[in-house]
């Protein structure tokens, strides 16, 4: 594989774009050698879903589009970034039992750390922000179809 691969898609800030972002990322990763039916692919799909949902829901109409960038460096690490033009940075909200939202960044940060990665938020030169997750790149050898139970695999 090449030392450096990049892919990008810009989508309108509307709910239907979340599934388009997921499909773009999963398709791109498949082209880069990651099968779609693995635990790692599922984790990345969830991370992208949360990032794209945040870009749509929390820009309050002030960002007409958002961009999803993927960068794979030297078969070593994958960077997933979602950029919008809204100037407000995400805030960690207290997760009240009755609250329907506010847990997205907590989920993203936890998933990134579980995979050995990290999450960060950076301002853009245009006044918006990019929320990015950097993960170690490891293409799984087998699909995630079997469940490991007490040292034995079950279908």
């Amino acid at each position: 594989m090449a030392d450096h691969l990049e892919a990008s898609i810009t989508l309108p800030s509307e709910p239907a774009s979340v599934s388009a972002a997921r499909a773009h990322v999963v398709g791109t990763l498949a082209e880069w050698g990651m099968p779609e039916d693995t635990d790692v692919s599922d984790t990345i799909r969830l991370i992208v879903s949360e990032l794209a949902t945040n870009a749509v829901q929390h820009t309050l109409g002030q960002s007409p589009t958002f961009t999803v960038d993927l960068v794979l460096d030297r078969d070593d690490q994958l960077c997933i970034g979602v950029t919008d033009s809204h100037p407000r940075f995400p805030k960690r909200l207290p997760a009240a039992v009755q609250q329907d939202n506010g847990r997205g960044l907590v989920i993203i940060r936890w998933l990134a750390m579980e995979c050995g990665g990290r999450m960060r938020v950076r301002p853009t030169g245009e006044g918006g922000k990019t929320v990015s997750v950097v993960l170690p790149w490891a293409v799984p050898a087998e699909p995630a179809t079997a469940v490991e139970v007490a040292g034995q695999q079950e279908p």
Side-chain angles (χ1 to χ4, degrees), residues 96-144:
V97 176
Q98 303 87 352
Q99 194 171 324
D100 289 336
N101 61 14
R103 295 176 184 88
L105 286 181
V106 172
I107 292 168
I108 295 165
R109 185 172 280 117
W110 184 83
L111 288 169
M113 289 184 344
E114 183 179 72
C115 293
R118 65 188 183 282
M119 183 190 90
R120 68 181 179 181
V121 182
R122 297 180 328 257
T124 65
E126 297 78 32
K129 66 192 160 301
T130 299
V131 181
S132 60
V133 174
V134 178
L135 302 171
W137 176 257
V139 175
E142 295 182 23

Side-chain angles (χ1 to χ4, degrees), residues 18-38 40-46 48-49 68 70 78 137:
V18 175
S19 62
R22 281 193 308 264
H24 171 74
V25 168
V26 169
T28 300
L29 294 180
E31 289 175 16
W32 294 351
M34 179 173 286
E36 294 182 25
D37 56 352
T38 63
V40 174
S41 182
D42 288 344
T43 298
I44 292 170
R45 186 179 296 119
L46 180 54
V48 170
S49 186
V68 179
L70 296 172
L78 174 69
W137 176 257

